[in-house]
Amino acid sequence: MTAVLLAVVTLAGAAPAALRWLRVAQREHYLAGSGLRFAARWARSGPPNGMLVAAIAADVVVAFWVPLVALAGTALLAIWPVGLSLRGRTSPLRWTARLRRLAGGVAVLYGAAVGLALAAGAPVALSLAAAFAMPALVDLALAALQPVEHRLASKWVDRARRRLAEVAPLVVAITGSYGKTTTKEYVRHLLAGTHAVVASPASFNNRLGLARTVNEQMAPGTQVLVAEMGAYRRGEIAEMCAWVRPRIGVITALGPVHLERFGSLENVAAAKAEILDGAEVAVLNVDHPELAELAGRLPGGTRVYRCSAADPTADVAVIGGEVHVSGRRLGTVEGDGAHPGNVACAVAAALACGVPEGMLAGRLAGLPHPDHRASVVTGGNGVLIIDDTYNSNPAGAKAALDLVASLSGPDARSVVVTPGMVELGPRQHDENVAFAKEAAGVADDLVVVGRTNRGALLEGAGGAVAVTVLDDRDAAVAWVGREVGAGDVVLYENDLPDHYP
C-alpha cells in the first residue's frame, strides 16, 4: 500500500511537468518531437538544469530499491527545468480545444504508464520514470493525435476550397526561408491601386491560417489572394497548394532557416519548390544559387521571372535603390528598410498580375515596412532603435548590422542586443559565432540575452567588444534604458519566447 501511495505522490511532479511541456508543444505549433528537442535544449542550458537531470535520473534508479527516494525525485521534477515557467511570461499557456485534447492524450498515456508500473511490481520507480519522461509522452500524444487534428481541420479547409471556387481570385503564393511576410506586404501594396486584393494577415501561413483567411476575409469581388506559405516539413506547401491552387508562385530566398527540422538545405529547397507545382508563373530570387538552378529546370510552359539585387540583367533588378525591368528603369525605392531582393520579387509578382509598369512606378515610394523587421524608430530619450526582433536569419542579421553602421554617427554609442539565431541545425553555433564577430566590428556593446546561444556569441565576440550577459529581454531593455542616451543606436536582433533557455 505504501508503494502505491508513493506512486500516486509522483503526480505532484507529473502535473507541473505536463503543464510545462504542453506549453512548449503549443508554442512549437504542435509538432511531434518538440518536447524531447526542447528538453535536451534545457538540459544543456547550464549546470543547474544539467545537475537536476542527473539527480532525477539517479532517483529513478535508486527508487527501485529505496522507494522513499521518489519523494526527492518528485520535488526535483516539480521545478525542472529551472527557468521554464508553468504559465509563461512572453508565451502564456492558452487552453484551446486543441490543447485540451492534447492534455487528455497525455493523461491517458501517463495513466497507462502508471498502470504498467503497478503490473510490473515497481510502481514507485516506474511512475517517477513516467513523470520524468513527460516530454516524450507529449511527443507521443502529438503524433497519435495528428491524424485526428488533420481531420478536424478539414471542414474549415473544405469550406475555404468552396469559397475559392465561388470567388475565383488569382492566387499569388509566396514562400522562402525568409522575406515571406515583407514580400507579401509589398505585393499587397503594389496591387492595391488596381485590384481588389486580400493578403493573409500576420503569420497565417499554414493550412488552417490560410483557410481562416479565405473564410473570414475573402469577400465576393476579390480579384487577387496573396497567400504566404510556411513549412516545417516537406509536403506541407504541396498540401496547401492542392486546394489554394496558386497561378503565381514566389520564392524569396533560400537559407539555413529551420534546418533543425528539415535536416539539410536540399530538403529546404525541395519543400519551397513545391509552391511551383502547377503554377503558371514562377518568381525566383536568383541571387540564391539553388533558385537560379531551379529557374533553369522548370517546364518550358512556365513563365519565369528572375529577380535580383545584384544582377542588372535579371528580369527584375533592384540595385542601389533603382528598380529595373528587363533593363528599363522603372522607378526608385526610398528608405533604408526596403530589402531589394524582396522588392524585386514583389514587382515581378505585380507585373505577372497585370499591373501596368506606370502604376507600379507610382507606388514604389510608398512601400510598407512590416513591424519588427529592421524597423527604425526614435525612442522617447532620443535613442535610435532598430527593431529586428522578427528576423532571425543570417542574411537578415547581417543587413541589420549594416544598418547599424550606416546610422551610427562618429560620437554615437552603438549597441546590439540579441539572444542569437535559432533553428539553424548543425550550422547554428558557427552562424552565431560569425554574427557576433560581425557585431563586434560595428558595435561598442554586445548584450547577450539568455543561454541558448550564449557560448557561441561570447566566442564570436572575443575581446573585440564590450559584452554584457543578461538572463532575459526585460533585463536587457532595462540595461539599455540605463546605459544609452540621445543619438545612440540600439539594434534588437531577434527575440526568443521564454520557452527557450
Side-chain angles (χ1 to χ4, degrees):
M1 181 61 69
T2 301
V4 173
L5 289 175
L6 285 172
V8 172
V9 168
T10 60
L11 281 169
L19 288 174
R20 286 187 173 94
W21 301 111
L22 285 172
R23 184 164 76 89
V24 168
Q26 188 173 67
R27 287 298 303 174
E28 290 298 299
H29 310 287
Y30 298 101
L31 293 172
S34 301
L36 286 174
R37 187 157 50 87
F38 273 81
R41 183 172 275 152
W42 278 96
R44 298 192 302 265
S45 65
N49 278 318
M51 292 169 62
L52 278 173
V53 168
I56 297 168
D59 282 352
V60 169
V61 174
V62 175
F64 279 98
W65 295 277
V66 187
L68 281 173
V69 169
L71 294 175
T74 298
L76 295 177
L77 191 59
I79 63 173
W80 184 79
V82 175
L84 180 60
S85 66
L86 296 177
R87 288 286 305 168
R89 176 179 50 84
T90 65
S91 51
L93 192 67
R94 293 177 291 109
W95 284 100
T96 62
R98 183 168 188 175
L99 186 72
R100 291 195 295 271
R101 289 191 293 271
L102 177 60
V106 171
V108 168
L109 289 174
Y110 179 72
V114 173
L116 289 173
L118 290 170
V124 179
L126 291 180
S127 294
L128 180 61
F132 187 33
M134 191 58 68
L137 295 183
V138 170
D139 283 343
L140 286 173
L142 285 169
L145 288 171
Q146 196 278 329
V148 176
E149 298 298 340
H150 193 275
R151 180 177 293 275
L152 288 172
S154 292
K155 66 176 181 179
W156 306 111
V157 173
D158 290 341
R159 180 181 296 181
R161 191 197 312 268
R162 291 192 296 270
R163 190 160 190 82
L164 281 167
E166 293 168 1
V167 179
L170 186 159
V171 178
V172 180
I174 301 174
T175 193
S177 296
Y178 45 88
K180 297 184 293 293
T181 301
T182 301
T183 304
K184 175 188 67 182
E185 290 303 314
Y186 289 168
V187 173
R188 180 196 58 75
H189 172 79
L190 293 174
L191 292 175
T194 54
H195 293 74
V197 58
V198 168
S200 52
S203 293
F204 280 34
N205 60 11
N206 61 11
R207 181 171 177 254
L208 269 179
L210 290 181
R212 183 175 174 184
T213 298
V214 172
N215 291 329
E216 296 181 2
Q217 298 194 20
M218 201 177 70
T222 299
Q223 295 171 294
V224 181
L225 170 66
V226 185
E228 179 182 337
M229 294 185 177
Y232 289 131
R233 58 179 174 79
R234 293 179 64 170
E236 283 187 283
I237 290 176
E239 183 180 20
M240 287 184 277
C241 288
W243 60 272
V244 176
R245 298 189 180 281
R247 284 173 52 193
I248 301 168
V250 182
I251 306 180
T252 61
L254 275 182
V257 180
H258 301 317
L259 274 187
E260 192 171 274
R261 293 184 173 99
F262 279 107
S264 71
L265 196 57
E266 290 75 19
N267 284 336
V268 175
K272 301 305 181 185
E274 292 169 3
I275 207 165
L276 303 179
D277 292 343
E280 299 171 10
V281 179
V283 176
L284 303 173
N285 184 343
V286 294
D287 291 339
H288 299 267
E290 298 88 353
L291 295 182
E293 189 272 334
L294 176 61
R297 58 182 172 84
L298 288 172
T302 306
R303 169 70 168 98
V304 179
Y305 283 87
R306 292 170 171 81
C307 303
S308 177
D311 181 4
T313 67
D315 297 314
V316 181
V318 180
I319 301 173
E322 291 194 343
V323 181
H324 293 264
V325 176
S326 299
R328 304 183 309 277
R329 184 182 182 278
L330 179 67
T332 303
V333 179
E334 298 179 0
D336 296 320
H339 189 280
N342 296 338
V343 175
C345 288
V347 168
L351 289 170
C353 289
V355 180
E357 291 186 12
M359 180 65 73
L360 286 177
R363 297 190 67 82
L364 285 173
L367 288 175
H369 196 115
D371 294 336
H372 311 298
R373 292 169 172 85
S375 305
V376 182
V377 298
T378 302
N381 58 353
V383 176
L384 203 60
I385 297 171
I386 304 171
D387 179 359
D388 205 35
T389 50
Y390 284 11
N391 207 25
S392 180
N393 65 82
K398 184 181 185 308
L401 291 177
D402 292 341
L403 187 55
V404 171
S406 69
L407 295 177
S408 298
D411 299 321
R413 184 179 183 183
S414 56
V415 179
V416 175
V417 180
T418 185
M421 298 170 286
V422 296
E423 296 194 0
L424 302 181
R427 294 173 58 170
Q428 183 163 316
H429 179 87
D430 291 346
E431 292 287 358
N432 280 291
V433 169
F435 169 63
K437 286 181 179 178
E438 292 187 44
V442 301
D444 301 298
D445 293 87
L446 175 64
V447 179
V448 177
V449 182
R451 293 182 175 274
T452 298
N453 294 307
R454 183 177 294 180
L457 293 171
L458 293 177
E459 179 184 336
V465 64
V467 177
T468 301
V469 176
L470 298 171
D471 287 334
D472 54 49
R473 188 176 185 273
D474 289 345
V477 171
W479 183 93
V480 168
R482 293 192 306 269
E483 297 292 331
V484 303
D488 294 338
V489 179
V490 178
L491 165 64
Y492 288 97
E493 180 61 36
N494 202 18
D495 182 21
L496 298 180
D498 66 356
H499 68 287
Y500 280 85

